[in-house]
Amino acid sequence: MKSAKRIAAKLILLFTAMIVMSAASSENGVESLRQTSKAFAAVARKVSPSVVSIRVEGNTSSTRLTPFDDEWPFDNDFFRRFFGDDFPNAPRQKRSQKPRSNRRVIGQGSGFVFKTGQEALAGKTYLLTNNHVVKNAGKISVQFKDGREFDAKVTGRDPHSDIAVIEINATGFASLALADSSAIEVGEWVVAIGNPFGLSHTLTAGIVSAKGRTSVGINDYEDFIQTDAAINPGNSGGPLVNLDGEVVGINTAIFSRSGGHMGIGFAIPSNLANTIATQLIEHGEVTRGFLGIVVQPLTSELADMFGVKSSRGILVAKVAENSPAEKAGLRQGDVILTFRDQPVTDIGHFRNQVALTPPGKQVSLTVLRNGKTQLLRAKLGELTEDRKAAQGDEGSASEIGINVQTITPELAQRFEARSGEGVVVTEVKPGSIASLAGIRAGTIILQANKKPVNNAQAFEQAIKQSASTKRALLLVRSGDMQRFVALAW
């Protein structure tokens, strides 16, 4: 009996302890949430005074009244800009044309006071934003959280990275520090602050979903931070900050079906923004390094064709005449493994590395050629509008099915080719490997299996010689784009 009483007493004590522990655990959980809440509030207090709402007025000759006036006429998801031009290269539905007239366009965006790391010109404050926010501006005004409003003007714009710097003739504002964006990790908390839908100084929180997004197709030079922090039209140009209140990125674009937040947003990393903005302030423009090659991804099929054991690196599809690349000894078919002693992981990363290297600088490249690595050195030139090297698209493989024709003088003039150099594709069988690999009627085939094909007979012979292996490597050109295509059937 006494034993039973002791057991019952112990059970009561254990049950009481569990209740106390549960209550303590619950209180700890609530306290943890309170601390998180206070952290976000601290970020808002620190950052908000440096963030501005940007109002842009301008005249445009257009049938549209605002950048959001058109419907988005596709069933698939597309990236949409917050303000300004629509997503690049996306066609629009044709509408009945009305007489075009100059209309007053009013748009809104965001920005923040930018610290360049050096003394600003006397009496001026520089603010960072997106190029697409201010590119068509006739008049720009910015408003701070305390209600003060100022007229602003453009210091410099860079359409290729979508970065712009604007300035106001006033001082005394707190600037935001830029963090090292390369150090931020996927999963970290971030906060977006801006002017979504005209609602000034709105704060939203989320995490870093991914880093190094280089093939989104929004800007010429990309290295986006992806986040699920809610950002919407009007957030464009505003800061994405860490919990220390330091800027890790500039909110730039969203992935959306409706034009609103769907959990995927993109921000230009602060390291890239800092480099571009500093040049805009100091020189009014951006200079970029120029190598002079066309490159394409090294797919597993292409790696096999070129005898490369892995798909690391990128493939050189074309070397421009008299370019720094040609002078350094780069050749068509080389696989670039490193640039400035850094591994080359993809085309976007490589383009950024070259572009951000100052013109005139000597750089090293490790290339794989005929199964052997070589170290080359090149002196970069300056990238100008007429020297842009487009990046090649990725080739894929499936079954052949094309008709070709020798290039006559008439065809050479029509397709901007050289008579007797290559063959022109006149027909592509739907569903064939050529079709799946992106070959279209009008494509010029310059080589087959690394040998020039100067007439239709030479091309047909090259394909017949590939019958035993059922593989062919083509060098093709469409417009100004030149690339290798690996076919297997």
Side-chain angles (χ1 to χ4, degrees):
M1 188 68 178
K2 290 182 179 181
S3 177
K5 289 182 178 180
R6 290 194 193 98
I7 293 173
K10 289 180 179 179
L11 288 174
I12 292 171
L13 288 173
L14 178 61
F15 183 69
T16 303
M18 289 177 64
I19 293 175
V20 172
M21 291 175 62
S22 177
S25 176
S26 177
E27 181 60 32
N28 289 338
V30 172
E31 182 59 29
S32 178
L33 291 175
R34 288 195 187 101
Q35 294 303 318
T36 301
S37 177
K38 289 179 179 179
F40 290 136
V43 171
R45 287 194 301 270
K46 182 177 181 179
V47 175
S48 291
S50 302
V51 178
V52 299
S53 300
I54 299 177
R55 179 183 174 90
V56 176
E57 296 182 24
N59 292 321
T60 182
S61 178
S62 173
T63 57
R64 291 188 297 164
L65 180 60
T66 75
F68 308 109
D69 190 45
D70 285 347
E71 295 178 1
W72 194 249
F74 300 98
D75 293 329
N76 297 329
D77 289 346
F78 278 87
F79 294 96
R80 301 190 67 182
R81 289 203 177 272
F82 292 164
F83 172 80
D85 283 348
D86 303 316
F87 180 69
N89 302 322
R92 309 293 295 183
Q93 278 184 330
K94 291 184 178 180
R95 297 187 174 193
S96 58
Q97 295 297 315
K98 299 177 182 179
R100 302 176 70 88
S101 60
N102 288 329
R103 294 176 181 261
R104 186 181 178 218
V105 175
I106 299 176
Q108 293 180 327
S110 306
F112 60 93
V113 178
F114 170 59
K115 184 177 181 179
T116 64
Q118 63 182 21
E119 289 297 325
L121 296 178
K124 289 186 178 180
T125 294
Y126 295 101
L127 301 103
L128 204 51
T129 186
N130 282 136
N131 171 69
H132 70 263
V133 171
V134 298
K135 70 174 185 176
N136 293 321
K139 180 181 178 182
I140 306 172
S141 61
V142 301
Q143 186 176 50
F144 287 83
K145 184 175 176 58
D146 61 11
R148 284 181 292 175
E149 189 168 349
F150 302 89
D151 289 335
K153 69 175 184 178
V154 174
T155 305
R157 300 188 298 108
D158 181 44
H160 304 299
S161 64
D162 198 16
I163 293 171
V165 177
I166 61 177
E167 60 186 71
I168 60 175
N169 291 320
T171 57
F173 302 98
S175 60
L176 296 184
L178 301 187
D180 178 4
S181 55
S182 66
I184 195 169
E185 297 183 10
V186 174
E188 285 191 39
W189 280 105
V190 286
V191 174
I193 302 179
N195 185 38
F197 302 111
L199 301 173
S200 174
H201 293 82
T202 297
L203 181 146
T204 55
I207 63 168
V208 173
S209 305
K211 293 172 56 179
R213 296 295 195 198
T214 60
S215 302
V216 178
I218 299 174
N219 301 331
D220 292 337
Y221 297 94
E222 300 179 335
D223 187 22
F224 288 119
I225 296 170
Q226 181 182 326
T227 179
D228 68 349
I231 52 181
N232 287 289
N235 272 114
S236 219
L240 185 72
V241 301
N242 58 25
L243 293 185
D244 293 321
E246 299 169 330
V247 178
V248 297
I250 303 175
N251 301 316
T252 297
I254 56 175
F255 180 72
S256 175
R257 292 183 177 182
S258 63
H261 167 67
M262 292 188 68
I264 299 179
F266 296 94
I268 299 170
S270 57
N271 288 359
L272 175 60
N274 188 25
T275 301
I276 300 300
T278 300
Q279 288 194 55
L280 291 175
I281 290 174
E282 294 179 353
H283 309 294
E285 61 181 1
V286 177
T287 57
R288 291 184 168 90
F290 170 74
L291 189 57
I293 57 175
V294 175
V295 294
Q296 67 181 94
L298 185 65
T299 65
S300 57
E301 294 87 0
L302 288 172
D304 192 32
M305 291 282 189
F306 281 89
V308 181
K309 293 182 180 180
S310 67
S311 297
R312 66 192 182 102
I314 56 176
L315 181 63
V316 178
K318 180 180 179 181
V319 179
E321 294 182 5
N322 275 335
S323 65
E326 184 183 60
K327 295 174 182 177
L330 270 170
R331 297 181 187 174
Q332 186 180 80
D334 283 347
V335 177
I336 300 176
L337 303 176
T338 69
F339 177 79
R340 299 185 65 181
D341 300 324
Q342 298 296 315
V344 175
T345 56
D346 59 48
I347 286 176
H349 180 252
F350 175 73
R351 292 186 70 223
N352 289 338
Q353 285 183 302
V354 173
L356 294 176
T357 303
K361 187 176 182 63
Q362 290 278 355
V363 297
S364 61
L365 302 98
T366 303
V367 302
L368 186 65
R369 181 184 298 165
N370 299 324
K372 297 180 180 180
T373 59
Q374 296 188 29
L375 180 64
L376 304 178
R377 297 191 180 278
K379 183 178 181 180
L380 294 187
E382 182 179 341
L383 181 65
T384 56
E385 290 298 321
D386 59 347
R387 298 177 74 181
K388 287 181 184 176
Q391 304 302 327
D393 289 335
E394 183 176 354
S396 57
S398 235
E399 176 190 297
I400 213 160
I402 59 175
N403 292 332
V404 300
Q405 183 176 337
T406 302
I407 297 180
T408 63
E410 293 78 13
L411 289 175
Q413 184 176 8
R414 178 181 175 184
F415 293 102
E416 297 182 352
R418 295 181 182 178
S419 179
E421 183 177 322
V423 294
V424 61
V425 177
T426 58
E427 184 179 358
V428 181
K429 180 181 177 181
S432 67
I433 179 174
S435 176
L436 294 174
I439 296 176
R440 301 289 182 264
T443 297
I444 306 296
I445 300 177
L446 301 172
Q447 293 182 9
N449 298 325
K450 301 183 183 180
K451 295 181 180 179
V453 288
N454 297 325
N455 53 59
Q457 292 73 27
F459 176 75
E460 291 174 0
Q461 185 63 28
I463 296 302
K464 287 179 181 178
Q465 291 173 354
S466 300
S468 59
T469 61
K470 293 187 176 181
R471 298 190 308 171
L473 178 66
L474 306 182
L475 179 65
V476 305
R477 179 169 63 81
S478 299
D480 294 328
M481 184 73 70
Q482 186 167 305
R483 63 188 177 116
F484 285 102
V485 176
L487 305 178
W489 64 94

